[in-house]
Amino acid sequence: MALSKQEWLALEKKAHELRNLCLDTTYWAGSAHIGGGMSVMDMLTILYYKYMKIDTSNAQWEDRDRFILSKGHAGVAYACVLCDLGFNDKEQLKTFNLTNSKMGIHLDSNKVVGADASTGSLGHGLSIALGTALAAKVLGKDYKTYCILGDGECDEGSNWEAGMSAAHFKADNLISFVDRNGCMIDGKTEDVMKLEPLADKWRAFGFIVKEVDGHNFNELSEAIDFALENKGAPVMIIANTVKGAGVDYMEGDYKWHYGALDDEKYNKAKESLDRYYEKRIARAEKEGI
């Protein structure tokens, strides 16, 4: 079902706030994985602010939906979401990745309230997510498990082992995404280790695949709605995104996998995010119903 214009605009506003908070956190920390944080932010926004069944007063509620950020280096974005929701104090973001902070660069689920798994060592998240999805089936629970992988992370063979298992066990309560920004730490994914045809590979492993614009809330919503109604097989949503989305001098540049911001870069990024928001609002106004 398509988003209403009101829903779409509300999600755009929240995503803009979160992108700015991600930028601020990177600035306070001195550096962070901001490129992948920005590319994944729209997925985090629509999951946590529209779809996921959670209780911010009870992070360990046993019937909550689970979320696994397999590309754990995007913790700078995830931390902003978990603080904005109230699971953690926003003041903690000012110590992100600093000595003795609870907010490490890869979030520790024993220290960060609301994080369902400690991730950062790439290739493990889909296996963890499959485990929580199968646990729900065994326990007769109706919660869903969502998982976001990086595209460079798809070089890890453990993802494909998890994929075979997810299809074999018909884990239709597992909804996964690939943040397909086309970049990894050493360069473009297709230069370092070709992934294409990525959608066909997931299909061959037994997944139903949806390919969407990962920065279009309406397309993301329609794909998630499909996945929630689907029965009999896991769904993989390949979200085509832009590294550093919203910050013009970062966009599409693999060198911003990890980076630092001085005052000049920070201020330019703020201005760019405002322009980006204006364009996205215009699209929602035009295409929203």
Side-chain angles (χ1 to χ4, degrees), residues 186-198:
D186 291 326
K188 298 287 187 180
T189 59
E190 301 311 287
D191 293 334
V192 177
M193 182 66 69
K194 291 184 186 299
L195 290 170
E196 294 300 336
L198 185 59

Side-chain angles (χ1 to χ4, degrees), residues 2-112:
L3 291 173
S4 69
K5 183 183 292 188
Q6 183 179 4
E7 285 181 302
W8 195 340
L9 290 171
L11 288 168
E12 291 291 1
K13 182 175 185 293
K14 177 53 66 177
H16 179 58
E17 292 171 358
L18 291 168
R19 280 189 286 269
N20 273 281
L21 190 55
C22 182
L23 179 69
D24 291 343
T25 303
T26 302
Y27 179 69
W28 294 327
S31 58
H33 295 90
I34 188 170
M38 290 298 192
S39 65
V40 81
M41 190 63 86
D42 291 314
M43 282 174 270
L44 292 174
T45 301
I46 198 166
L47 288 175
Y48 272 95
Y49 296 85
K50 176 172 171 59
Y51 283 100
M52 285 181 60
K53 181 177 63 176
I54 55 175
D55 182 352
T56 55
S57 67
N58 181 11
Q60 295 301 314
W61 177 38
E62 66 178 24
D63 292 323
R64 74 191 184 280
D65 288 339
R66 271 62 169 178
F67 174 76
I68 311 298
L69 182 65
S70 190
K71 51 171 294 179
H73 54 283
V76 66
Y78 190 26
C80 293
V81 171
L82 294 178
C83 288
D84 183 72
L85 287 166
F87 282 116
N88 303 270
D89 186 347
K90 275 189 179 181
E91 287 297 306
Q92 290 187 35
L93 294 175
K94 294 181 180 178
T95 67
F96 183 84
N97 199 34
L98 302 181
T99 303
N100 297 322
S101 174
K102 291 183 178 181
M103 292 285 175
I105 203 157
H106 300 125
L107 301 191
D108 184 337
S109 62
N110 293 312
K111 298 177 180 178
V112 181

Side-chain angles (χ1 to χ4, degrees), residues 3 6 34 93 100 149 178 182 205 209 211 213 246-247 251 253 279 282 286:
L3 291 173
Q6 183 179 4
I34 188 170
L93 294 175
N100 297 322
L149 297 86
V178 174
F205 273 72
V209 178
E211 294 187 75
D213 177 349
V247 181
E251 289 186 338
D253 186 351
K279 291 178 183 178
K286 179 181 179 181

Side-chain angles (χ1 to χ4, degrees), residues 215-270:
H215 299 306
N216 184 313
F217 282 124
N218 203 47
E219 290 189 21
L220 285 167
S221 178
E222 289 178 347
I224 295 168
D225 285 343
F226 170 86
L228 289 170
E229 294 171 3
N230 167 70
K231 300 297 180 185
V235 172
M236 179 62 72
I237 300 170
I238 297 180
N240 293 302
T241 62
V242 177
K243 192 90 163 182
V247 181
D248 51 12
Y249 62 82
M250 295 183 189
E251 289 186 338
D253 186 351
Y254 76 87
K255 294 178 182 177
W256 279 101
H257 178 86
Y258 187 92
L261 299 169
D262 57 20
D263 289 345
E264 182 181 5
K265 285 187 174 66
Y266 173 76
N267 290 327
K268 285 183 177 180
K270 282 285 185 182

Side-chain angles (χ1 to χ4, degrees), residues 70 120-131 147 149-150 152-167 174 202 205 207 236:
S70 190
S121 182
L122 298 175
H124 296 172
L126 190 59
S127 294
I128 297 170
L130 175 59
C147 180
L149 297 86
E153 183 186 6
C154 291
D155 288 347
E156 297 280 358
S158 50
N159 285 313
W160 303 101
E161 294 180 42
M164 283 192 293
S165 298
L174 170 63
W202 286 108
F205 273 72
F207 280 69
M236 179 62 72

